[in-house]
Amino acid sequence: MLVLLFASRFSKVNNFQPSEHRPEETPYEKFRRQHVDAKMTEKLCNTEISNRNIYKIDNSCKETNTFILSIPAKVKSICRGDGRYDENSGMTYSTATFRIIKCKLKHQGARKPSCQYEGRLLTNRIIVVKCEGKLPISNNIPFDVNMF
């Protein structure tokens, strides 16, 4: 089983101006914009990453971005009782499994607007998030961890 992990601190993303996140955007809103979309498909990686302005602070392309194929309420529930908190890591594991789309950069070192991604559907994934105020947050460095 693979676990999708969203680490706990914020990363820098270039959104209209260099900043931690959009001034009007909360950490949860940033997480939702960058990682939650029930209608995402493998073929939409390039379009959605561009439309959602998901880049590194220096305008280089993210190596990977992962979208959870779910409605926001189900993802939020991980932090509202439907998850298992791990005291050692400070992270919360979903008790339900999710389908995800993993968008992987085709050409390392590419820069905006030349980011080209290959999307892959992954199923039966446990989501691991940092919860803040009963909401999932992310630093946009998702990665897969082999559990078994």
Side-chain angles (χ1 to χ4, degrees), residues 7-25:
S8 62
R9 64 179 196 83
F10 305 116
S11 73
K12 296 182 178 175
V13 176
N14 187 19
N15 295 310
F16 308 118
Q17 62 185 16
S19 67
E20 286 282 321
H21 53 83
R22 295 175 181 175
E24 71 282 4
E25 189 174 52

Side-chain angles (χ1 to χ4, degrees), residues 79-146:
C79 296
R80 295 179 175 182
D82 289 338
R84 182 184 55 78
Y85 179 73
D86 178 61
E87 289 186 24
N88 292 326
S89 67
M91 306 300 280
T92 302
Y93 291 68
S94 65
T95 53
T97 58
F98 290 82
R99 294 181 328 134
I100 64 171
I101 299 291
K102 183 176 182 179
C103 302
K104 186 174 181 181
L105 187 64
K106 290 181 181 179
H107 306 289
Q108 295 302 316
R111 299 182 62 78
K112 176 182 170 182
S114 300
C115 303
Q116 296 293 311
Y117 291 88
E118 180 178 350
R120 185 173 165 211
L121 173 65
L122 302 172
T123 59
N124 297 316
R125 296 303 192 261
I126 300 294
I127 305 298
V128 183
V129 295
K130 174 76 174 172
C131 295
E132 183 177 276
K134 296 195 176 191
L135 294 170
I137 60 172
S138 173
N139 76 341
N140 299 319
I141 307 176
F143 54 94
D144 292 328
V145 178
N146 288 315

Side-chain angles (χ1 to χ4, degrees), residues 19-34:
S19 67
E20 286 282 321
H21 53 83
R22 295 175 181 175
E24 71 282 4
E25 189 174 52
T26 67
Y28 167 70
E29 290 167 340
K30 179 180 176 183
F31 173 86
R32 181 176 168 179
R33 173 176 57 85
Q34 293 186 347

Side-chain angles (χ1 to χ4, degrees), residues 3 11 42 49 73:
V3 175
S11 73
E42 300 99 313
I49 288 173

Side-chain angles (χ1 to χ4, degrees), residues 42-53:
E42 300 99 313
K43 295 179 181 182
L44 292 175
C45 286
N46 294 331
T47 301
E48 289 303 313
I49 288 173
S50 177
N51 288 348
R52 295 169 190 235
N53 219 6

